[in-house]
Each structure stands twice: as structure tokens, then as C-alpha cells.
Amino acid sequence: MIKKIFLFLFSFIFIFNLENKADEGMWIPMLLKKYNIEDMKKKGFKLTAEDIYSVNQTCMKDAVMIFGGGCTGELISAEGLLITNHHCGYGQIQKHSSLKNDYLTDGFWAMSREEELANPNLTVTFLVRMEDFTERILKDIDDNLNEKERQEKIAYNIAFAEAEATEGTNYKAKVKSFFYGNEYYLFVSEVYKDVRLVGAPPSAIGKFGGDTDNWMWPRHTGDFSIFRIYADKYNKPAEYSAENVPYKPKKHFPISLKGVEKGDFTMVFGYPGTTEEYLTSFAIESKINTLNPSKINIRQKKIDIMLKAMDKDRKVRIQYSSKHAGTSNAWKKWIGEKRGLERLNAIEKKKKLEKEFSLWAKKQNIKIYSELLPRYEKIYEELTPYSLASDYFYEAGYSLDIIRFVTKFKSFKSVNKNTQEIEIKTKIFKLNSSIKSFFKDYNKETDKKIFTEILKIYYNNTKKNFRPEIFNMVDKKFKGDINKYADYFYKKSIFVDQNKLRKFLDKFKASKLKKLKKDPAYQMTESLIDFYVEKIAGKLSELELEVLKLNRFYLDGLRKMQKDKVFYPDANFTLRIAYGQVDDYFPYDGIRYKHFTTLKGIMEKDNPEIYDYDVPDKLKELYKNKNYGKYADKNGNMRVCFTASNHTTGGNSGSPVINGNGELIGVNFDRNWEGTMSDIMYDPDQCRNITLDIRYALFIIDKFAGASHLIKEMTLVE
Ligand code: ARG
Ligand code: ASP
């Protein structure tokens, strides 16, 4: 009896703890009322669930958008002004930059609407509404279907539902899978297509600390950029036109100048991309012991070469800055993630849960549940070599700049004797912009170096049957000497030299096809793709489909086993709420990291010799004179960034960080290195999101750039 009471108490405490296990989770806005709002209120949120998401009233969701293809942004004025990260607008800023107008280095500020810069292909996407479509999508799906049939049928149901949801409107609709296909939700959205660059600080502010500080705390990056959405005269989306007018939003965020202190409520409202919180121990093992180490190794090499070249030549710095940032970002995250998972004993923890599951499954006496774990084990044994081959294909082959460029010429594959000249001319014309943008950021020497060294890694680390045919040719013709092969490649190919390529294309006719097909770059690309399609893709997708099925049952089982726990779905680039509080942390024994940084820290890091830490003179002057205006904190300091316990991931960059009153207090841009494993396992002690204090952004706009006309558009709460 006593034992029973004890057990009862114990489980009560346990459940109670789970519910309060602070701050983990990325929640569905539509379900806040049901699952979260009480807890949020307890933690300091003062508004209602409807103020965040509603289809009946104007709410915060109307001010939050997908920025481009992978970030979040939010509206900060009644005239369509939006803020996102510098690293999210980086591609655009870089595209407008040249040696003459080097906006990356010097920053850019439109002093009037006329000076705002158009960005073809940049869009922002607002959510109009979401709906639970599980029943509709799964209505005629029965358990007797095999997995492939099941997925095909679901795809059909989804296509039908999406078409129906947008009939007669200009909206877009997407149905997405949640909980590995246990649930489905519909998202209807509106896409604006004329989005102009308004302002960006110099990289020495917007990317201060560069890739050295990336993923790290203490941090001092002024990671923001400003854009404006334009619409037609009816306030509706339109392609770029000089006639377009600033978009008049239903809602924009008021901006608080009051700042935050430790323990204050914060929430992040944005588009987290991918998390994998419900992975099994087998999947984690494969990832952190086999797959990620290989990818880390490949990228390490690329980064070393790029950095050397960038340090030597200013032009190369501009050309490779975006590529370098992209390559190094995931590389550094994977390193942090591996350490974090090891420190957390993630695999052991998962194994424990799996054991519990097995016992539970046995009791349930449901065959599929009890078979799950052995099936997982077997399938990961089979899957890992294919995933690895796929990673090598991608990281060490397909993603090489020159190869990706040549894939753009795939439409030439269908050319033959009978192809009309006009058709060929059209193909070439369509390639013009790709050719231009490739060579704008191409440095032959650097490209060749990367190509050579990465192919060596590919060659030396893969077995014959797991790499493309072309390596056999390298064996035969070059005795396996990659250096010699690369010399030949960069001497013979028409793709490595803009003039050569243009000349070739100018005179191209069907009869020249032979020459094209013999080109070393063309051959390499073809060989890579054939290899992937013929040897990897089929088996890989077959095995992944099987994993998907196991995951669906496993998660379904877990939710039944842990009845009292509210599960949140993995991130899938749909709008979510994460909430928590401003908080510091203890990264290592004896070290405490404060929850905010100030301008003083920027001066401490100042070092004109190191590119990442070269502080602009103007900023030093503002610091010296403490010229912070109304943007200082109550002690007269200029805060730069702060940390909080919100559960975020890639895609959350640029997300509004909001206080208990629904006011903007910052822009989310990163996480701490010790906490990057939060994509797989969240640890309340270590996982922190990093936010740019909005007051630092305003200070830079106002005092540093003198763009006070932008501040006047905003709604400040003092
Ligand atoms: N780590 C941040 C995120 O994942 C910022 C990346 C951009 N910054 C950089 N230095 N590469 O997106
Ligand atoms: N820096 C990430 C992003 O760009 C955010 C994160 O991973 O925490 O979305």
C-alpha cells in the first residue's frame, strides 16, 4: 500500500514536472488555447491566445512572415517595413554589392523610397489560416496498403485538398504532415513578390564576430537588415513595378524600449525548419557517429581553402563570403550538436525510453509495436551506408560550385540532330543569368583547389561500389592521381572559363553536341548524377520510406504510452510559438554566462588585424561619447544581445522575440554552441536562443546610419 502511494506521488511529481519542464517545444498557434495559454500566462504573458493567432481578428500572425526561402521576418511599420536578420538578407545585400558599391562592407541605407533596391525572386509569405486536415487526408487510407501505396494515396488527397482550398483565390495552400504522418494540417498563405532592400549595417556590425563567433555566446552581432514590402494599389501582391506602393499591413509590432531582465517572459513567433526530437537511439547513433563526422571533415577542408583565399584578395572575399558563411554554418552546428548529445548521454537516454516502450508494447500485445525496435535496428544497419554514400555524393560532389553550375545545362541532354536552331538559342538565352551569376562569384584558382582537395576526400573515403564511375576513369587514365585529373579538368573544360564558354555557346549547334558531351566537367556531372540515380536514390528512398513507417508507429505508440504528456510536433517550417524566459546559463563547471552583452564587449573584441573584429570608427566614437539616446538601458549601457530559453531552430532566424505585452523586444538570430543539440534533444540547462536586442538595431539605424526617417515610421513604446 505504502509502495502504491509512493508510486502515485512519484508519478504525480513526474507528470507535474513534465508539464512544467520549462520552455521545450514549438507549439502550433491554432492550439495554444487548448495546450499552452494557461502556462504562458503563468510565465508572464498578458494577452490572449487570439491575440497571437486568430481567423476572426487581427493578430500577431498578420505581422509575421516567411522571409525568402528559409527565414522569418516581421512587420515594424504601417508602411510595410520589415526587419529580419542580416544573415537572412545577406544574399540580397551581396547581390547588390560590387567593388564599387560594396554594401557588404560599408552597409546600405536608402534615404528615400526611390533609393530602395528591388530584389527579383525575393518573396515574403503570410499565413492566412491553418486547419486540421487529418481526417480528410487519411479518410480512405487503410492499414492494408503498403507504404508506397499509402504515400501515393496521401499525396493525391493532399493535392486535391490544396487545389480545393485555394479555388478562385490568389492564395497558396499547402498540407503538411505532422508527427510523422499521424496528423495533417492545411496552411493557406499569401505571397508578396516585390520586396525591396531598405537598410543593412556594414558587415562589421551585422556580421560582427563572423563565423568565429557564429553559434557562440557571448555574442555581439548586430544581425539585422530592413526591407519594405510593396503591393499593387489594392494592397494585393504584385510583381515588381515602379507603380507599386508600400504594403499597408493589418498589423505591425509595436517596439518596446524597456528591454528585458532575467526571468522575463519571452516568446518567439516564427518558422522553425526541422527538428528530430523523436529519433530513436539507432538514428542518433548513425548520425553522430558516422554521417556527421564525414560531413564535418569535408566542410572543414572547403572552409580552410576559402578562408585562405579570402584573406589574400578583397575581390575573393566578396565572391566567397556568402558561400563561406553557408558552408561553415552547418559545419559548426554539427560539431556543437555532437558534443551536446554526448554530454547529454542522448543515446543512453533514448535507449532507456526504448526499453520502456518495449515493455509497454509487450503488454499491449499489438504486433507492430512490439516489432518496432528490432526492425529499427536492422534497418539502420542497412540504411547507414546508403545515407553515407548520399552525403558524399552531395557534400563532396554535387555541391561543388562547378558541378552545380554544369547541372544547369542538363536541358542540352535532349538536343539532337533534329533540334531546331531557335530551340537551342532559347535554351542558351535561358542560361544567361545563371552564367552571369556563377562567374560573378567564381575564382578559378580557388575553385580548382576546392575541387581537387574535396575529390581526394571523396576518393579516399569511399568504396568503389559507393562512388561514381568517373573515378574508374581517373584510376585508368591518371593512375588515381586526383591532382593530375584536376589539371586536365581545369585545362580542358569550357565551363571553367567565362570567355571559353561564351564563345562555345555563341557558335553552338546540334553538331557540336559531341564536344559538349566530351567536356570533363560535363562528364563528371553526368557521372555523378547517374551514380546517384542508378545506385543510391532507389534503395535510399525505399529504406527511408520504411523508416518513415516505423516512425509513424513509434510516435503513435509513444503518445499512447505517455498519455499525460502533451507532445509538440517536430518543426516542419510551419508557423510556431516557442515561449520561455530570459535566462543565463552555466556552460562549464565554474563558468556562468550572463544573459546579455553590451557595446563594451564589442570594444573589447576590437582588433583591426582580424577581419571579424574590425570595429568601425564611427561606432567607437558613439561608444566613447555614450551617444545612445533613448536606446540605452536604465544604467546607461547599450545592450547588444540577450539569451533566453526559447526552443528554436534554423528558420527561426529573423523571428520576432516578443514580451508579455506583445511588443517586439528583439530579433532572434542564433543559438549557443552548447545547446545546438536542441534539434534532437532539448536541455533546459543548456539550450538558449540568442536574440539581437531591438534597441541596438534602433541605435544603429538612428545614431550610426542617420536613418531616423525609418524610426519615425515605427511605433515605439517608451
Ligand atoms: N548560426 C546562425 C544560423 O544558423 C547564423 C548563421 C549566419 N551567420 C554566419 N556567421 N554564418 O543561421
Ligand atoms: N541561425 C538560425 C537561422 O538562421 C537559427 C538557429 O538555428 O537557431 O534560422
Side-chain angles (χ1 to χ4, degrees), residues 404-459:
R404 264 216 317 260
F405 176 53
V406 177
T407 59
K408 304 244 187 303
F409 289 75
K410 62 174 179 291
S411 65
F412 279 69
K413 226 181 155 146
S414 60
V415 173
N416 61 38
K417 284 198 301 282
N418 306 323
T419 312
Q420 302 276 321
E421 196 161 323
I422 177 83
E423 211 179 299
I424 293 179
K425 287 245 145 57
T426 317
K427 279 187 201 298
I428 294 175
F429 179 77
K430 278 194 189 149
L431 283 166
N432 263 336
S433 75
S434 299
I435 296 174
K436 234 169 88 190
S437 68
F438 172 73
F439 283 106
K440 177 177 180 287
D441 292 337
Y442 171 79
N443 173 273
K444 188 168 173 182
E445 197 190 324
T446 312
D447 198 71
K448 181 178 172 192
K449 190 127 212 190
I450 294 174
F451 178 88
T452 314
E453 295 310 314
I454 297 304
L455 280 195
K456 282 183 196 165
I457 296 182
Y458 199 162
Y459 182 82

Side-chain angles (χ1 to χ4, degrees), residues 184-197:
Y184 288 86
Y185 285 80
L186 167 82
F187 297 83
V188 176
S189 57
E190 189 168 35
V191 184
Y192 281 80
K193 297 174 187 160
D194 184 354
V195 185
R196 303 185 196 170
L197 177 63

Side-chain angles (χ1 to χ4, degrees), residues 227-244:
F227 288 77
R228 191 188 304 282
I229 306 169
Y230 280 77
D232 70 11
K233 59 181 184 221
Y234 307 107
N235 208 30
K236 283 279 148 200
E239 296 293 340
Y240 170 84
S241 151
E243 314 283 278
N244 286 349

